[in-house]
Amino acid sequence: MKVFVSNDVNAKGIELLKQHFDVDVMPNMKEDELCKIIGEYDALVSRSQISITKKIIEHATKLKVIGRAGVGVDNIDVPAATAHGIMVLNAPEGNTLAATEHTVAMLMSMTRHIPQAHQSLQEGKWDRKSFDGIQVQGRTLGIIGVGRIGSRVATRMQGMEMRTIGYDPYITEERAHSVGVELVDFDTLLKESDYITIHTPLTKETEKMIDAEAISKMKDGVRFVNCARGACMDPYAVADAVKSGKIAGAAIDVYPWEPLTKENNPFIGLFNVVQTPHLGASTKEAQIGVSVDVAVGVIDALEGRPVMTAVNMAPIPKSVAAVIQPYFKLAERMGTVGIYLADAAITDIEVEYTGDLADTETQALTTALIKGVLTPILQERVNYVNAGQEAKKRNISIKESKSHKPSYYHTAITCRLKTSKGEHEIVGTLFNGNEAKIVGIDGYRIDFKPEGYLILAPHEDKPNMIGQIATLLGQAGININGMQVGQTGHEGMNIMAIAVSNDLPNDIILRIKGIEGIQDVKMINCEGI
Ligand code: NAD
Ligand code: MLT
């Protein structure tokens, strides 16, 4: 088999690949050049030099796997790869320490103006007045996203005697405490922090999380660090706040558009900004680590072994595939509906299988359900192989049970999600053997397809509830694609499920919540799952 490796991948990983396959190490290529030759290859491995577009994937007729020597897969068209049956895998752990240490270095360099002072000396000046900094000791560091990198930044800055608070709605208090982080809500973090550092993946929720509005809630003279993903901030809002003095210092490694030039760099000429060109993972150790990890993944994939770092797929055991295969989409989407219903970090997931599913191996379906729970919050790397492991890391207890007790549906999946604030129950089944339907939510019997954008609204069972919501949606130009009201449920209460053409803006959600008799409104996005 033949493997294409771009020349930004460390030699260690390339050596490993060469022990198994024919390997061509190629310089940076334009899309059209790559399209001409990619048809010969079984695997493509790159750090970030190549953008692996849909067009390249369409020409990759033999390609079985794309390996990313790093964590972010934003340079790969993953849906296109999935549609062509190509596994995408990454190397999520190898550069964690490098990115952590870079964050700490950036934070300290910014605080003490080290690059600026160095530049001044290089220019032949002896200026000791322009570079006064502050001490970090005793100050509060707000960490947005307390995952692998965020938690390590926390423990390192605790070593510098900083107080560490964190905003991460997807981890438990217990997990946060274990790394010395006090969990707070987003606004509290913005208000209380002297320093703010972001370590989330880029998702719909985190895109432009640090914008002018968020900055306005920060302390005057706050310092800001971004070594995660550039699009998590609005760089112009950050630059404006530096200019006005609201932000006293910013340390930035990543940008919504890369590479930066003089023309498209919003931070040019700003004395209080320290910038690096996406160097978070640029250490010898990290580049060896990710190259070896990605090589091992590609070797496993091409030689037919399970891959722990697959981003978009995993082998399904053949013996059970025939029975469980039709239920995969249902299970995954039940998980997604569940995470949108949950008001706090999930602590327990219980999955009960009845009917045909009670007599077969259902572990893979439970994994699909967990993937559905975690995908909206961890986007880039939850897959059928690692979803269980990711849940475990977040201290989510998983229980599976089988039951032959008679129920309304011959075969069904019931999922119970517990959080510190309560419990949610979702029941799903297949109609006509392949049509995924949610048939129960929190004790209400209902019937809707978990697809596209959905609004779930428990409400008082009285006239004109539907009418009022429909009017609001109509006024906002939102098309209603389908509507269902619960058939049985709680005394005096009901639930409605409305399928809509697009995501609802927050103000419309708030206005629906404001309708008298509406108990809650959950906007669920099943798109892209
Ligand atoms: P991770 O998945 O281990 O941690 C991400 C954390 O963010 C999770 O705990 C998750 O619960 C939390 N999160 C998700 N959505 C959130 C939201 N809306 N609000 C608050 N928290 C939320 O990821 P990681 O490995 O720690 O990586 C963090 C970031 O660093 C990623 O964006 C990654 O691509 C980036 N990264 C950058 C470099 C670099 O070179 N600068 C190197 C490595 C990683
Ligand atoms: C990553 O996604 O791993 C990082 O952005 C680092 C990189 O690959 O350069």
Side-chain angles (χ1 to χ4, degrees):
M1 281 195 261
K2 282 188 78 174
V3 180
F4 175 110
V5 184
S6 70
N7 65 359
D8 58 350
V9 175
N10 184 275
K12 284 274 181 218
I14 299 176
E15 278 164 31
L16 199 56
L17 286 166
K18 281 186 176 167
Q19 291 168 18
H20 296 254
F21 314 112
D22 284 345
V23 177
D24 291 334
V25 182
M26 304 296 238
N28 198 4
M29 280 188 173
K30 295 217 166 70
E31 189 183 50
D32 284 345
E33 295 169 319
L34 192 52
C35 283
K36 282 190 195 135
I37 60 157
I38 196 66
E40 294 171 36
Y41 293 95
D42 298 277
L44 186 163
V45 182
S46 171
R47 179 179 173 187
S48 51
Q49 196 176 59
I50 304 175
S51 279
I52 302 159
T53 59
K54 193 171 175 201
K55 190 171 168 195
I56 294 171
I57 287 168
E58 279 164 358
H59 285 78
T61 45
K62 277 175 70 186
L63 206 67
K64 295 165 187 69
V65 55
I66 298 170
R68 161 74 160 98
V71 55
V73 288
D74 9 4
N75 62 325
I76 302 169
D77 190 330
V78 179
T82 307
H84 285 76
I86 299 167
M87 180 186 288
V88 177
L89 60 88
N90 66 352
E93 309 262 331
N95 60 28
T96 298
L97 279 180
T100 302
E101 291 179 3
H102 194 68
T103 305
V104 172
M106 290 290 277
L107 188 155
M108 290 311 299
S109 297
M110 174 246 291
T111 303
R112 301 301 295 269
H113 304 296
I114 290 170
Q116 298 90 330
H118 167 84
Q119 185 58 31
S120 158
L121 267 177
Q122 292 286 310
E123 288 163 8
K125 298 178 197 154
W126 184 255
D127 177 359
R128 299 181 67 211
K129 289 198 186 106
S130 307
F131 307 112
D132 277 352
I134 57 168
Q135 270 175 205
V136 297
Q137 188 266 345
R139 291 198 153 83
T140 298
L141 173 64
I143 301 166
I144 305 174
V146 190
R148 278 181 303 226
I149 298 169
S151 60
R152 284 171 176 81
V153 168
T155 53
R156 276 145 188 83
M157 296 319 294
Q158 286 151 18
M160 304 280 280
E161 297 179 44
M162 289 190 93
R163 170 186 174 229
T164 47
I165 60 175
Y167 168 64
D168 190 327
Y170 306 114
I171 65 162
T172 56
E173 293 276 354
E174 210 183 351
R175 167 76 192 135
H177 279 150
S178 72
V179 291
V181 172
E182 178 197 334
L183 279 186
V184 294
D185 61 41
F186 187 50
D187 281 4
T188 306
L189 182 137
L190 298 178
K191 209 169 71 191
E192 289 194 6
S193 302
D194 301 299
Y195 283 77
I196 293 176
T197 183
I198 183 155
H199 298 286
T200 63
L202 177 61
T203 65
K204 195 173 167 248
E205 263 185 321
T206 63
E207 193 176 355
K208 290 203 180 157
M209 200 172 191
I210 301 302
D211 59 3
E213 194 193 337
I215 293 169
S216 71
K217 295 177 184 167
M218 295 177 188
K219 273 188 185 177
D220 291 342
V222 64
R223 285 168 171 80
F224 172 64
V225 184
N226 186 359
C227 293
R229 280 294 178 263
C232 295
M233 65 183 176
D234 172 352
Y236 292 106
V238 173
D240 284 348
V242 172
K243 282 178 205 157
S244 74
K246 172 80 184 177
I247 293 184
I252 313 286
D253 182 47
V254 286
Y255 310 91
W257 46 87
E258 295 180 6
L260 284 193
T261 62
K262 255 190 171 170
E263 283 66 44
N264 68 10
N265 182 350
F267 303 109
I268 293 263
L270 295 185
F271 173 79
N272 287 328
V273 179
V274 173
Q275 283 188 272
T276 45
H278 203 145
L279 295 184
S282 297
T283 63
K284 283 202 177 69
E285 295 86 346
Q287 287 314 308
I288 291 173
V290 293
S291 78
V292 169
D293 290 352
V294 77
V296 169
V298 168
I299 294 165
D300 283 343
L302 290 185
E303 294 182 351
R305 287 184 292 278
V307 176
M308 296 308 289
T309 53
V311 170
N312 61 342
M313 60 173 57
I316 303 158
K318 275 192 185 143
S319 55
V320 290
V323 188
I324 67 169
Q325 185 84 48
Y327 290 91
F328 266 86
K329 180 173 148 192
L330 171 68
E332 191 166 334
R333 296 208 166 180
M334 285 174 66
T336 298
V337 170
I339 185 77
Y340 282 102
L341 287 180
D343 291 316
I346 292 174
T347 52
D348 297 77
I349 301 177
E350 286 176 21
V351 195
E352 186 183 316
Y353 296 96
T354 55
D356 291 347
L357 293 174
D359 299 318
T360 190
E361 171 54 63
T362 46
Q363 175 63 48
L365 284 182
T366 302
T367 306
L369 191 144
I370 299 166
K371 178 176 181 288
V373 169
L374 295 179
T375 296
I377 56 175
L378 296 174
Q379 202 189 36
E380 283 164 346
R381 62 189 161 74
V382 190
N383 57 56
Y384 296 122
V385 180
N386 72 2
Q389 211 182 26
E390 289 296 327
K392 207 168 166 189
K393 273 194 212 161
R394 284 165 176 73
N395 295 330
I396 301 175
S397 135
I398 312 288
K399 282 198 193 114
E400 209 188 273
S401 63
K402 307 276 169 66
S403 163
H404 285 100
K405 71 178 182 225
S407 82
Y408 199 83
Y409 297 96
H410 174 260
T411 297
I413 306 175
T414 301
C415 158
R416 291 179 198 94
L417 299 170
K418 282 190 196 146
T419 74
S420 55
K421 293 197 177 157
E423 185 173 319
H424 291 283
E425 184 185 87
I426 302 124
V427 186
T429 191
L430 291 186
F431 281 26
N432 305 320
N434 63 5
E435 207 183 325
K437 289 271 185 95
I438 302 290
V439 290
I441 294 273
D442 292 344
Y444 296 100
R445 194 147 64 78
I446 191 159
D447 167 0
F448 67 89
K449 290 183 192 174
E451 282 170 10
Y453 296 103
L454 293 164
I455 304 166
L456 279 181
H459 59 88
E460 284 174 25
D461 201 5
K462 60 181 188 182
N464 200 26
M465 299 308 295
I466 300 166
Q468 291 185 76
I469 297 190
T471 307
L472 272 179
L473 293 176
Q475 283 165 355
I478 294 182
N479 205 21
I480 298 180
N481 297 334
M483 241 245 358
Q484 264 283 323
V485 182
Q487 288 139 38
T488 54
H490 308 284
E491 180 87 42
M493 294 294 296
N494 209 331
I495 194 168
M496 67 181 109
I498 309 175
V500 284
S501 52
N502 32 354
D503 210 352
L504 292 195
N506 274 341
D507 63 310
I508 300 294
I509 296 179
L510 287 177
R511 286 173 69 189
I512 298 176
K513 278 189 180 165
I515 296 174
E516 203 207 314
I518 294 288
Q519 196 185 48
D520 196 5
V521 178
K522 296 287 183 196
M523 185 67 217
I524 296 171
N525 178 5
C526 295
E527 285 292 306
I529 298 288

